[in-house]
């Protein structure tokens, strides 16, 4: 609830129209091919069904759409970890 409230406040201040919708990564509330770009940052480790979430991103992206993501992983070497 706290993060949703922050998102709604930021959307209200944005210079372009933004809708904050209920949904999950595995069931995005958007029609097929309705997005030019999808952005995901440091969240894919927390979704319940990664394959379903990635499938939903593919579904809502237009055929020439872009998926931009930033994720993290644990390094195997102690020096990098």
């Amino acid at each position: 609830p706290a993060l949703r409230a922050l998102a709604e406040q930021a959307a209200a201040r944005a210079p372009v129209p933004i809708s904050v919708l209920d949904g999950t990564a595995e069931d995005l509330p958007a029609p097929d091919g309705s997005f030019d770009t999808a952005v995901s940052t440091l969240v894919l480790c927390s979704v319940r069904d990664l394959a379903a979430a990635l499938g939903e991103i593919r579904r809502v992206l237009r055929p020439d759409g872009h998926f931009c993501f930033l994720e993290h992983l644990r390094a195997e070497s102690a020096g990098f970890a």
Side-chain angles (χ1 to χ4, degrees):
L3 292 177
R4 183 182 176 97
L6 290 174
E8 289 172 340
Q9 291 169 14
R13 293 188 307 267
V16 296
I18 295 177
S19 299
V20 178
L21 305 172
D22 289 328
T24 64
E26 300 90 350
D27 186 23
L28 296 174
D32 294 358
S34 57
F35 288 94
D36 296 319
T37 303
V39 178
S40 170
T41 57
L42 305 173
V43 298
L44 293 177
C45 61
S46 66
V47 300
R48 293 181 184 190
D49 185 342
L50 181 58
L54 293 173
E56 278 292 275
I57 291 168
R58 175 180 275 175
R59 180 186 67 78
V60 301
L61 280 175
R62 294 184 175 143
D64 60 345
H66 298 279
F67 177 37
C68 304
F69 64 95
L70 171 67
E71 286 299 325
H72 57 93
L73 56 108
R74 180 159 185 223
E76 294 196 17
S77 108
F80 285 110

